[in-house]
Amino acid sequence: MSDLTVLNIKPFVGAKDFDQSLAFYKALGWQIKAENDGITELQLGNCGFFLQDYYQKAWCENMMQHLAVDDARRWFEHTTEILRAKQYGLARVQPPKRESYGALVTYVWDPAGVLLHLAQFDPA
């Protein structure tokens, strides 16, 4: 099995209000890569995921995505500015926090309750 290669991994993320969630991610900077029957592939840099027009409260509110970023504080400022428009339902952000594993993390919840960990790892 050592000759098997994984080229990419992209989770499927639910959306309570698909259009609102899509607008939220686009405002954060994600780009639409492809769309098809209630599923939109979003990409930011080399990272991506599938936003789907499907919602199950317990699943979305337990879904977490960990993203390594270069500046957690700038992401906090960027997200705070986006949320000032109050167009994204229950979406929210918390100021960066230094976690026990060393990363500075900005926590962002999307409109469906999906938690994004925007983690900055400082060079050792």
Side-chain angles (χ1 to χ4, degrees):
M1 194 164 131
S2 63
D3 61 340
L4 297 178
T5 302
V6 173
L7 301 176
N8 200 332
I9 184 169
K10 292 184 181 179
F12 283 79
V13 175
K16 185 174 185 178
D17 177 327
F18 184 79
D19 292 333
Q20 184 181 64
S21 288
L22 182 58
F24 175 73
Y25 282 107
K26 287 172 63 178
L28 285 178
W30 293 84
Q31 303 292 315
I32 294 174
K33 187 172 177 185
E35 296 177 282
N36 187 18
D37 294 331
I39 296 176
T40 297
E41 184 178 1
L42 295 171
Q43 187 157 347
L44 183 59
N46 293 325
C47 300
F49 68 95
F50 295 100
L51 184 68
Q52 59 182 337
D53 192 5
Y54 174 80
Y55 178 73
Q56 188 177 55
K57 181 177 172 53
W59 171 55
C60 286
E61 291 181 357
N62 194 46
M63 174 76 179
M64 295 181 274
Q65 296 199 80
H66 181 93
L67 295 87
V69 299
D70 62 352
D71 192 332
R73 285 183 181 87
R74 282 185 45 220
W75 273 101
F76 171 71
E77 293 165 3
H78 175 61
T79 306
T80 299
E81 183 63 31
I82 288 165
L83 293 177
R84 281 197 180 111
K86 300 187 186 217
Q87 299 175 351
Y88 305 108
L90 300 176
R92 64 192 192 281
V93 62
Q94 284 186 346
K97 175 184 174 187
R98 182 70 60 188
E99 293 294 351
S100 61
Y101 59 91
L104 181 65
V105 181
T106 294
Y107 292 98
V108 177
W109 287 264
D110 83 357
V114 175
L115 176 58
L116 307 175
H117 294 221
L118 303 171
Q120 174 185 338
F121 292 92
D122 299 321

